[in-house]
Amino acid sequence: MASKDSIFASPSIVIIALCTLSFFLEMVPGIGDVYFNAFYFDPNYLVTKPWTLITYMFLHNGLFHLLFNMLVLYFFGTALERRVGNRQLLAIFFTAGILSAIGYTFLTQPIFNISPGPMVGASGAIYGVFAALTILEPDIRVYVYFVPMKLKHALVLFAIFDFLMINSSDMIAHTAHLSGLFVGLYMGFRIKKIQENAQRSRYIGRW
């Protein structure tokens, strides 16, 4: 059994390890294409391949895509774990990831007149983690392209960027990012309210 201090006690580290393993499987000659095709998310097959609502998060389109997502998850995911616990981290990650895919499916075409194509990557789920952590710890100092700023300002910056780039042809699922962000905001507010109520109850109890 892993000890409490083991890296295997951290769901963020486990997700990073699974995504890295998955990326190497994508690269294996002969089976990589079969593996990728079985697990990427395509809105056209939402009903017939529902498992891809989860599995697409563990696939990445290139080494830079993987490294950037995993670096962000390492810093924000482990910080959120310490704040809310492992189960809550997993709930936020997977809820944001699933609803990112659903939001991407149903919002892209009617609102922005863009036909949604296949999608891979943990970005939507990580946006959920990012947003939830921002609600709980808005003044954490982070560096965005070497520029220091508070976490709440970084989130606003990324949200504005994704909104402005929705109609671009950069092959990035910006509606999925924004969907994950709003899920994370909602879950962060809910957790914060629950924690504040619990603290208030303990305070009243002492009197």
Side-chain angles (χ1 to χ4, degrees), residues 29-111:
I31 69 168
D33 288 341
V34 175
Y35 173 77
F36 187 88
N37 290 335
F39 297 121
Y40 75 84
F41 177 75
D42 188 333
N44 295 309
Y45 298 100
L46 175 61
V47 175
T48 57
K49 297 173 67 175
W51 62 87
T52 60
L53 284 168
I54 294 175
T55 57
Y56 86 96
M57 299 179 227
F58 296 93
L59 303 175
H60 286 83
N61 186 21
L63 184 60
F64 179 78
H65 188 204
L66 174 72
L67 290 177
F68 181 80
N69 275 354
M70 296 304 100
L71 184 64
V72 175
L73 179 59
Y74 175 76
F75 286 109
F76 292 166
T78 53
L80 187 59
E81 288 170 19
R82 292 191 293 270
R83 188 68 169 74
V84 303
N86 293 353
R87 289 185 179 180
Q88 290 279 22
L89 179 280
L90 288 172
I92 292 168
F93 181 88
F94 285 107
T95 302
I98 291 169
L99 293 181
S100 291
I102 293 174
Y104 171 71
T105 300
F106 293 106
L107 296 178
T108 304
Q109 179 69 41
I111 297 179

Side-chain angles (χ1 to χ4, degrees), residues 73 128 149 206:
L73 179 59
M149 64 181 69
R206 286 198 297 268

